[in-house]
Structure formats: C-alpha cells, structure tokens
Amino acid sequence: MLIFSFTFGSIYDIIQEDNHIVGKFFHTLKDIENAELNPNYVVGYLLNLNEIDPELCYLALGSVRNFSLIQDFSRELGYHLKNLGIDFVVFGNLMILEEDADDPLKYIGNSPYLISEILYRMIRGLETSGVTPVIIVTSKDDRNATQSLLHKSGSFYTYSDQIKNVDLFFDGNNLYLQKNNLFLLPWNYGKGTLEETIQEIFNNSIILTGWRDEGENLLYRKINTTDLKSVTYFSKSVEESARKVFSGELQPTGNKNW
C-alpha cells in the first residue's frame, strides 16, 4: 500500500509503507508550477476547472451537444497537465443536479446517462493524452450514472473522502492508495490547443430555455428554472452570441441539462 500523507498547505507526500517518499499529490496547479519535482516521483492533481479557465465548469461541459469536443478538451487538458509533470488526475461528479443544489456549476446535469457519457469522454481523452484518470465518488452518487459509466468504460479508478472501498481514499490528512494497481501511462500526446478547445466549449454551450417573453433575460453562469424565456451562457466571450440566440438571430448551441 502507498500512503499519501499531509505535508503542508495543499501538497501531500506519496509515501510507501517503509516511509519512503515516492511522489506528491497536489490540490492546486500553482503549487505544482512552483515545486521542484524529483523526476522519479509520481505526481497527482485534484482537478479544479477554474484553475484551467476561470469561467469553465462541469455544467458547461454537460450542456455541449458534441461529445467528441469533450473528449478533445480532455485530451488537451491532459496534455497540458502532463507537460506540468502530472501523472494522474482526480476529477468528476457522479451526482445528479437537483433544483435546490447550492452550486449548479459543479454538476454535469440531471441525467445519469449524460453524466456517464461526459465522464466517459473525459476518461478517454485523458488516457489518450497519457494521464491516468481517477473519478471522484461519494455516498450521494446516482446509481444509474455509476452503472452506466461502468458499462461504457468497463472499469475506472475511484477516489473519495467519504467511501473507504475505493482506490484512493482521502481522510483530510492522508490519501491512501487502497490497491497497489494505479497504472501510470508512459506516453504524452496532444495538439497544444487547450485554449482554443475551451473557447469551443463556450461557443457550444449557449442554452435557450422558457417561452414567456418579458424582455431580454441573459443569464451568465446561471440556470433558469422558470417559464421565462432566458439564455444561459458560460463565458463573457460569447455574450453577444447569447444575445443573438435570445433575439432569434442564432440557434442555441447547447442543451439544457438541468
């Protein structure tokens, strides 16, 4: 068993049973960029989409109709992370988006099959780039989403701070590798187009909802749960396009996923 133990801040040592440090686990990219890493270390990262782009979120990913774009994004994300020295990335959300969710941006959507498809595409994209994907699981995950993802992928590595029967268990101070079978991928592949691919996600996640017209209603990174005609968009860079979608000059590019 490998033991990931707390060192300082958001950086955790990867330690073998004999107390030999074999790597680092990071919660922020800033720490990785400032770290002097031993080339023989295993390096992991807990993905924060806002660190990749301040406007990026899981809800935007879940609204994209073109699943190949999600896979391309994940490949380019993995390529970027691999170039920073990262070997595996912990990410995802298998929970259903409910109407009373505190922060809808953290959810992929309200369909278990949409959730499984987005996470499956992310798994495949990361693997293509050479980064080992590890999915976050919780006690509140949707059973159908989990089963659907297992059906698509066959198996996947799991991480949790709630469930101990996983591959990586975090208790707040230590991260434990429960099974010594976390295979790292030796290749590194991508096109170096991460920023362009993220922009394509924003271009393809403009959502029109409602039908009752009471004046322009553009919702930046917010969802509409009423019958008022509204357009949800996730980046200021597509605000003009969102306005044209509302006026009918353009068709919506994303699907409602709540």
Side-chain angles (χ1 to χ4, degrees):
M1 177 187 293
L2 296 181
I3 301 174
F4 296 64
S5 70
F6 178 79
T7 52
F8 61 94
S10 57
I11 306 174
Y12 302 81
D13 288 334
I14 302 175
I15 305 175
Q16 287 182 330
E17 281 186 324
D18 59 2
N19 291 323
H20 177 63
I21 297 175
V22 297
K24 296 282 185 180
F25 183 73
F26 295 85
H27 283 203
T28 70
L29 287 180
K30 182 178 179 180
D31 287 332
I32 296 173
E33 292 166 353
N34 294 332
E36 294 183 8
L37 296 175
N38 184 319
N40 297 318
Y41 274 5
V42 174
V43 178
Y45 169 57
L46 181 62
L47 178 63
N48 179 351
L49 288 174
N50 291 151
E51 285 195 298
I52 307 305
D53 184 287
E55 294 180 306
L56 194 60
C57 61
Y58 282 112
L59 192 66
L61 298 182
S63 71
V64 174
R65 296 170 178 171
N66 182 358
F67 296 135
S68 294
L69 179 57
I70 300 300
Q71 192 162 328
D72 290 345
F73 158 70
S74 302
R75 181 197 65 222
E76 293 307 308
L77 170 63
Y79 182 64
H80 172 68
L81 297 179
K82 188 85 171 190
N83 285 333
L84 293 177
I86 295 169
D87 297 302
F88 70 91
V89 61
V90 175
F91 70 99
N93 187 346
L94 282 161
M95 291 184 284
I96 289 287
L97 173 59
E98 306 285 355
E99 282 194 14
D100 60 351
D102 291 335
D103 187 357
L105 298 177
K106 294 181 179 180
Y107 296 80
I108 293 171
N110 64 359
S111 163
Y113 308 106
L114 172 66
I115 292 169
S116 67
E117 185 65 32
I118 295 296
L119 290 180
Y120 171 72
R121 295 295 182 140
M122 293 187 73
I123 287 172
R124 289 294 170 254
L126 288 165
E127 287 178 337
T128 300
S129 74
V131 172
T132 299
V134 182
I135 300 293
I136 297 170
V137 297
T138 75
S139 58
K140 297 180 180 179
D141 290 343
D142 182 80
R143 180 181 178 86
N144 289 328
T146 302
Q147 291 300 319
S148 179
L149 181 57
L150 281 169
H151 179 74
K152 294 176 190 293
S153 62
S155 64
F156 54 87
Y157 290 118
T158 55
Y159 162 102
S160 186
D161 59 4
Q162 302 177 17
I163 304 169
K164 290 189 176 181
N165 187 27
V166 291
D167 298 299
L168 292 165
F169 176 68
F170 185 62
D171 68 357
N173 292 319
N174 303 287
L175 183 64
Y176 300 94
L177 179 60
Q178 309 285 53
K179 302 172 184 177
N180 194 12
N181 64 348
L182 187 65
F183 297 109
L184 304 182
L185 305 175
W187 57 84
N188 184 11
Y189 173 75
K191 297 181 179 180
T193 58
L194 179 59
E195 289 185 6
E196 294 92 329
T197 309
I198 291 173
Q199 186 59 53
E200 281 301 300
I201 287 173
F202 293 141
N203 293 342
N204 287 276
S205 57
I206 302 173
I207 308 163
L208 177 65
T209 54
W211 62 90
R212 190 158 54 87
D213 195 345
E214 293 186 1
E216 186 176 81
N217 189 20
L218 302 182
L219 301 179
Y220 172 59
R221 293 165 59 84
K222 295 180 181 179
I223 64 175
N224 174 32
T225 57
T226 73
D227 59 0
L228 286 175
K229 182 180 178 182
S230 305
V231 172
T232 292
Y233 64 105
F234 295 96
S235 173
K236 291 290 186 180
S237 66
V238 298
E239 187 170 64
E240 186 56 33
S241 294
R243 184 168 284 109
K244 290 181 178 179
V245 168
F246 189 91
S247 67
E249 296 177 65
L250 292 176
Q251 291 296 312
T253 59
N255 287 333
K256 179 183 175 183
N257 51 336
W258 59 84

